[in-house]
Amino acid sequence: MNYELVLVRFGEIVIKGRNRNRFETMLLTQIRMALKSFDKLEFVRSYARVYIHLNGESYERVAERLKDIFGIMSFSPVIGSGLDLGEIRDNSLQLIRHLSVSPQTFKVSVNRGWKQYPHNSIEMNHLVGSHVLRNTPGLKVDVRRPEIELKVDIQKDMAYIYCEVVKGAGGFPLGMNGKAMLLLSGGIDSPVAGWMAMRKGLKIEAVHFHSYPFTSEQAKDKVVTLAQRLAYYGGKIKLHLVPFTEVQTKLAKSGHDSLIITLMRRSMLRIAERLAEQNDALAIVTGDSLGQVASQTLGSMNVIGRACSLPLLRPLVMMDKQDIIEHAAQIDTFETSILPFEDCCTLFVPKSPAINPNLNIVEKVEAMMGSELERLIDEAVQGTEVVILKNGADTEASAQAQERKEDAWF
Ligand code: ATP
Ligand code: MG
């Protein structure tokens, strides 16, 4: 089927007033950015929706990209029709005929946005419906629970006909709700947490702690790959690579074996908080999920969380591991996450990590290390390297657009 338009519906309908306008303006900018390699597209905005005129671009390829843009509630491929009754009837029939699965039941819902149209919407429902029925053997009308709802929206210039509604990613346009630092390990959970934070409108910068040379170059590459994947959704990701070896070695010598993970996590948060301040981020996002490991019991989270004063956001806290894994597969980070390279935390894993660490003791142990620990934390912050990851898909899409231009040339 050759669709002429895509109708994109914006999400979070509860947003009102000025925020609504900001939401729509930001989302439209992001849609344009994400689709910038399709040069023929035209965008027409109307309240809480935008019409994309395809002008010959492939609907399937545009749809593939639209599915991953945060803030879009749903979208539909649309046939643009002239206002002549015969034309509307024929286009409606074509649409039903070309559906990938032939429906058993349907109903027609005509909306007459342009009130001067000679037939009212009830008449139109009959006029269009009867034509489709007459020409589609086996099809029946079911007004209560139709398999397909054929929508015809009559406006002054043209009629918009569609029936498919594709669910969008939902949430808020990226960055609408500010910026946060994502603690990105090489594991399954933190990339999913990052995706969820972005979906809620947070711009993300990633922070990864490595213990090179104890952890390998490949472990670092794996995190770069994950951040790159997040950049597909987030446009551009700044990845901070923090040298954690010295801090970790110092903590390991404290003699409190069972507290080492607690101590490490607290130092990570202190470093992340400093990086957040430097980069104007107002929260820290982690992939913690309640009860998953010793450092994620309520007792541990409490003692660890007190090391920093920025809000700690844990999008996965109530989720089951299986659901997190499915999510990781959907956003295409799972395969990378399960590569075997070790994380800095696995280097010093004690036999029995504390599941209920005592805040007083933890604070005393840190106080004993005093300014030495502070100095190592300073050095880690100063030694942090930054890698900027751009949206690889855009590069790929613009390469394809270039190819198409070259094809057209020949
Ligand atoms: P993940 O699958 O994300 O690694 P996990 O189940 O292995 O999670 P932990 O290793 O306990 O859990 O880590 C909990 C959270 O702490 C991670 O989700 C991540 O946000 C953060 N974290 C752990 N290790 C690192 C690291 N090396 N660099 C940055 N953040 C880390
Ligand atoms: Mg981990």
Side-chain angles (χ1 to χ4, degrees):
M1 188 83 223
N2 264 343
Y3 293 108
E4 281 122 18
L5 298 140
V6 189
L7 163 58
V8 181
R9 298 172 198 84
F10 294 175
E12 293 287 344
I13 36 183
V14 286
I15 304 170
K16 293 273 151 55
R18 262 202 305 174
N19 252 357
R20 176 87 238 166
N21 192 31
R22 211 174 131 237
F23 183 106
E24 295 190 11
T25 308
M26 283 183 90
L27 181 51
L28 184 56
T29 309
Q30 286 170 14
I31 294 174
R32 282 176 187 275
M33 287 268 288
L35 298 175
K36 67 175 185 284
S37 61
F38 299 88
D39 356 301
K40 297 193 203 118
L41 302 181
E42 281 171 88
F43 301 84
V44 179
R45 179 177 163 180
S46 77
Y47 183 76
R49 51 180 58 189
V50 64
Y51 287 97
I52 305 177
H53 292 253
L54 290 166
N55 295 326
E57 298 282 6
S58 140
Y59 163 70
E60 282 73 21
R61 292 191 51 227
V62 168
E64 208 44 54
R65 194 67 192 90
L66 285 177
K67 274 184 198 146
D68 292 320
I69 300 175
F70 302 122
I72 292 181
M73 185 170 67
S74 65
F75 59 90
S76 299
V78 176
I79 297 185
S81 169
L83 290 172
D84 174 64
L85 177 60
E87 218 177 309
I88 292 179
R89 286 170 127 187
D90 279 346
N91 279 320
S92 301
L93 179 61
Q94 289 307 324
L95 184 63
I96 295 279
R97 280 195 177 154
H98 284 89
L99 290 175
S100 49
V101 182
S102 309
Q104 305 278 309
T105 58
F106 89 123
K107 88 172 193 189
V108 180
S109 305
V110 177
N111 166 48
R112 198 175 53 153
W114 179 50
K115 300 294 177 209
Q116 275 78 14
Y117 195 73
H119 305 281
N120 69 27
S121 40
I122 296 170
E123 283 163 16
M124 280 302 281
N125 286 344
H126 287 293
L127 289 166
V128 176
S130 58
H131 182 70
V132 172
L133 271 181
R134 258 200 311 278
N135 293 287
T136 319
L139 186 64
K140 293 201 183 70
V141 173
D142 182 345
V143 286
R144 291 234 183 91
R145 301 184 60 195
E147 265 173 64
I148 289 288
E149 186 171 355
L150 178 81
K151 299 224 180 199
V152 181
D153 182 15
I154 298 178
Q155 296 295 338
K156 193 171 175 196
D157 52 344
M158 67 195 284
Y160 300 89
I161 306 175
Y162 60 91
C163 55
E164 204 181 324
V165 179
V166 184
K167 199 165 179 280
F172 287 80
L174 195 76
M176 181 165 167
N177 288 331
K179 195 204 277 181
M181 306 305 272
L182 166 69
L183 300 195
L184 184 63
S185 66
I188 296 168
D189 304 329
S190 43
V192 176
W195 183 92
M196 287 187 169
M198 290 193 287
R199 181 180 174 277
K200 264 293 176 193
L202 290 175
K203 179 85 191 141
I204 287 294
E205 291 192 16
V207 182
H208 177 69
F209 299 87
H210 65 86
S211 292
Y212 192 74
F214 297 119
T215 52
S216 64
E217 198 60 38
Q218 286 136 309
K220 203 156 117 181
D221 291 347
K222 176 178 167 184
V223 172
V224 171
T225 309
L226 288 171
Q228 177 76 64
R229 183 63 197 152
L230 291 180
Y232 168 74
Y233 303 98
K236 186 168 80 177
I237 302 270
K238 194 166 165 188
L239 169 62
H240 302 261
L241 293 163
V242 185
F244 201 53
T245 320
E246 298 296 327
V247 175
Q248 214 175 358
T249 313
K250 175 79 192 166
L251 297 174
K253 285 185 193 144
S254 70
H256 291 265
D257 217 27
S258 66
L259 291 179
I260 187 127
I261 300 277
T262 313
L263 293 164
M264 265 166 36
R265 289 269 185 275
R266 283 170 59 93
S267 288
M268 283 183 177
L269 285 183
R270 291 197 176 103
I271 294 170
E273 189 164 42
R274 296 267 293 275
L275 295 171
E277 276 162 18
Q278 289 173 7
N279 292 280
D280 300 320
L282 288 182
I284 294 173
V285 178
T286 76
D288 291 326
S289 179
L290 190 59
Q292 210 179 79
V293 287
S295 59
Q296 296 171 28
T297 60
L298 211 47
S300 285
M301 284 193 200
N302 176 31
V303 174
I304 293 167
R306 280 170 197 245
C308 89
S309 45
L310 281 179
L312 268 174
L313 307 181
R314 301 175 169 106
L316 314 183
V317 74
M318 302 300 179
M319 279 176 76
D320 292 346
K321 189 75 185 187
Q322 191 52 38
D323 294 334
I324 299 172
I325 288 174
E326 280 166 26
H327 210 117
Q330 273 163 21
I331 62 168
D332 203 15
T333 52
F334 182 71
E335 292 299 325
T336 308
S337 290
I338 57 172
L339 293 172
F341 313 115
E342 72 290 2
D343 183 50
C344 69
C345 304
T346 48
L347 292 177
F348 297 92
V349 175
K351 281 197 197 72
S352 55
I355 51 168
N356 198 10
N358 180 309
L359 182 62
N360 277 332
I361 297 175
V362 169
E363 283 176 346
K364 275 193 191 125
V365 174
E366 283 174 351
M368 266 156 49
M369 288 181 261
S371 60
E372 174 71 353
L373 182 60
E374 275 307 310
R375 185 178 64 77
L376 293 173
I377 286 180
D378 276 351
E379 281 176 15
V381 172
Q382 275 150 29
T384 296
E385 280 174 78
V386 171
V387 184
I388 306 275
L389 297 157
K390 298 231 171 83
N391 180 354
D394 269 358
T395 330
E396 200 183 291
S398 43
Q400 281 173 1
Q402 189 59 33
E403 254 173 47
R404 275 185 287 139
K405 268 189 203 153
E406 280 160 15
D407 282 349
W409 182 254
F410 284 105

